[in-house]
Amino acid sequence: MRWDWQTGFVFLCLLLWSVEDMRSQRILLGPVLAVIAGGIAGRIGSGSLLMWDTLAGAAAGILFWGFSCLTGERMGKGDALVILCLGLYLGFRVTLAVLLFALLLSSCAALYLLLVKKKAAQTAIPFIPFLTGGLICLMAVR
């Protein structure tokens, strides 16, 4: 994975969305939807809308949307839209790697909260900061 304008743009968006997620445990849908629309428009403009890597990456977000609906939004729909956004801009393989790092990081944080801070298993933690951390980890190992 190389650092290009798309990666930089997604990283900047993730940073901003992370702050919002940590502050209010909510994602403002307007900016996320605008970034998604921009990603789709960019793919259409470049003639690469049908790239399988892009579509599969976006499908990861749709899968998480379904997971959100099935679990009563234990993982929010805003998180799923951000994952869809990652898939549009970064493609399937990079999105999958970011998700794996994010899930690993969030699992470590959850264990810390459970064992050290004695929080309940139902304690909500924001996920977007872990996606940001996942992208940072991926950039560090590549």
Side-chain angles (χ1 to χ4, degrees):
M1 177 180 176
R2 65 184 192 281
W3 186 264
D4 58 11
W5 74 268
Q6 289 178 321
T7 307
F9 178 70
V10 167
F11 181 70
L12 180 62
C13 289
L14 282 174
L15 282 176
L16 295 172
W17 294 333
S18 291
V19 171
E20 183 66 26
D21 199 17
M22 288 187 295
R23 211 176 329 149
S24 65
Q25 291 194 339
R26 291 226 172 272
I27 303 293
L28 297 175
L29 291 181
V32 176
L33 293 174
V35 171
I36 289 171
I40 292 170
R43 293 295 181 200
I44 291 171
S46 68
S48 62
L49 180 65
L50 296 178
M51 289 177 47
W52 291 110
D53 191 46
T54 299
L55 293 175
I62 295 167
L63 179 70
F64 272 85
W65 181 281
F67 179 70
S68 174
C69 292
L70 288 174
T71 62
E73 286 198 62
R74 295 290 295 158
M75 173 178 237
K77 291 179 182 169
D79 297 327
L81 288 176
V82 170
I83 294 167
L84 188 146
C85 183
L86 286 175
L88 281 173
Y89 282 89
L90 303 178
F92 177 72
R93 290 174 288 202
V94 173
T95 300
L96 183 62
V98 168
L99 279 170
L100 290 175
F101 277 119
L103 291 170
L104 177 65
L105 292 170
S106 64
S107 296
C108 291
L111 280 174
Y112 173 78
L113 290 173
L114 285 170
L115 300 176
V116 176
K117 295 289 188 176
K118 305 297 185 198
K119 297 286 184 178
Q122 292 77 21
T123 301
I125 56 174
F127 189 63
I128 305 301
F130 295 108
L131 289 172
T132 306
L135 183 59
I136 292 169
C137 288
L138 182 62
M139 295 302 294
V141 298
R142 287 192 163 193

